[in-house]
Amino acid sequence: MMTAASVSASTDAPSGKPFPEVTFDRVSEIFGHNLDTSEERLQTLLLAIGMDHTTPTSPHFQEEVGIPFIVHYGPNHWVNRLTSGDMSVGVLVNNALLLLFAEADIPNREQAAFDLMKLASDKGYWPADYFVAETNLLNHLVRGPEVAIPMAPTIEASGLKQLARDTMDSFSRCAEIGFAPCRYRIGFWLSNSQKTLQDGLKVLQAAIDVNLKDTRYEDKLDGALVAAAQELAERGGAIGLNSDTVDQYRKLIDQYSRSTSRLVN
């Protein structure tokens, strides 16, 4: 299990170390508009990297990871370091980010990025844990991204038990660090089975608590928060939630549903 301090914070998130200053033109030259992705998995990966960067107690706090560092040194700097055999976390992740977001047409970019992130995950970099687990989940363990909860009978029948275990382990590592998206995934996964329903609901409670207290999640996890609150409002009796607590979750649903509706419209 990882021993890094939690990334969760109160309403005042830690400032961390500064990113280098880069120009918008230089960012656009390398990435075009690809950083404005609507893909939730990629948005959340960038959030995770930013949160680790602003957590001074992270074991990888000194790593120069993220888009500003790629732009500051230039893509060739990171590619050359990887080519020369440098397998440090910063080199692995920044090359993966280049593969995922760079405007250039790169063959087999998705698989190559996954392989680099898997190496970073093996070195204990928790944002890579999220990326590897989420990619496995969406590509192999669910019917589609709109039904992103693994179905145990399907996993059993398709011979994906080991992949499911590895994916759960990866989500668990970044959930232990305190990353709310991983806690939501674990909570929904567990609550999908009657045998682990109580554990799942408790994890969803913890995820909502982290989500609400850390300002770095603002306007980023509203859909997951609403879904978790609905689960607790409908099934909270399994963990002894009283009517007042259930009512609080229903108010959260209304509040965040209205917020999401305004953003859509």
Side-chain angles (χ1 to χ4, degrees):
M1 301 294 281
M2 298 182 70
T3 57
S6 173
V7 299
S8 61
S10 63
T11 52
D12 296 316
S15 58
K17 67 179 184 291
F19 281 112
E21 293 185 8
V22 295
T23 65
F24 177 77
D25 287 344
R26 182 65 175 140
V27 173
S28 297
E29 180 184 331
I30 298 170
F31 296 103
H33 298 290
N34 291 346
L35 294 175
D36 296 325
T37 177
S38 60
E39 185 181 342
E40 186 175 339
R41 178 189 58 139
L42 297 181
Q43 289 177 344
T44 307
L45 171 63
L46 294 177
L47 172 65
I49 291 171
M51 292 187 74
D52 186 72
H53 183 83
T54 56
T55 301
T57 49
S58 164
H60 299 288
F61 183 66
Q62 297 305 320
E63 296 278 359
E64 296 182 321
V65 182
I67 301 300
F69 291 107
I70 295 174
V71 176
H72 177 69
Y73 292 106
N76 287 341
H77 168 84
W78 300 103
V79 173
N80 290 338
R81 284 179 62 179
L82 182 66
T83 303
S84 68
D86 186 342
M87 303 295 281
S88 61
V89 165
V91 171
L92 293 170
V93 175
N94 286 344
N95 275 279
L97 292 175
L98 279 167
L99 288 164
L100 291 167
F101 292 103
E103 194 168 35
D105 185 19
I106 305 171
N108 200 32
R109 61 197 301 161
E110 184 76 26
Q111 184 59 52
F114 179 87
D115 292 342
L116 290 170
M117 283 292 193
K118 182 65 173 65
L119 291 172
S121 171
D122 292 342
K123 289 176 177 287
Y125 186 62
W126 69 263
D129 282 327
Y130 163 77
F131 180 81
V132 168
E134 189 75 2
T135 302
N136 281 339
L137 180 74
L138 297 178
N139 287 352
H140 303 292
L141 300 174
V142 295
R143 290 189 297 273
E146 69 282 353
V147 188
I149 302 171
M151 305 299 291
T154 304
I155 290 171
E156 292 279 349
S158 57
L160 293 171
K161 287 175 65 175
Q162 187 58 53
L163 182 66
R165 288 194 195 99
D166 292 345
T167 299
M168 175 70 94
D169 288 345
S170 294
F171 275 134
S172 294
R173 286 194 296 271
C174 65
E176 182 191 358
I177 289 295
F179 193 47
C182 291
R183 292 190 174 194
Y184 282 126
R185 284 299 194 216
I186 292 291
F188 287 125
W189 194 324
L190 294 175
S191 65
N192 193 45
S193 167
Q194 194 60 40
K195 186 168 65 174
T196 54
L197 172 62
Q198 293 185 3
D199 291 336
L201 294 176
K202 290 174 183 176
V203 173
L204 290 176
Q205 278 189 302
I208 289 175
D209 187 52
V210 167
N211 195 159
L212 294 175
K213 286 183 178 179
D214 194 328
T215 57
R216 293 174 292 183
Y217 292 117
E218 281 184 359
D219 300 325
K220 293 182 174 67
L221 303 177
D222 289 1
L225 188 150
V226 168
Q230 287 175 331
E231 190 83 345
L232 288 159
E234 293 171 6
R235 308 171 76 182
I239 54 172
L241 296 188
N242 58 38
S243 58
D244 289 341
T245 304
V246 168
D247 189 52
Q248 289 175 0
Y249 283 120
R250 287 181 176 142
K251 288 178 180 176
L252 267 181
I253 295 167
D254 290 341
Q255 175 187 343
Y256 280 87
S257 294
R258 285 197 299 271
S259 174
T260 303
S261 176
R262 283 197 300 272
L263 288 174
V264 170
N265 296 325

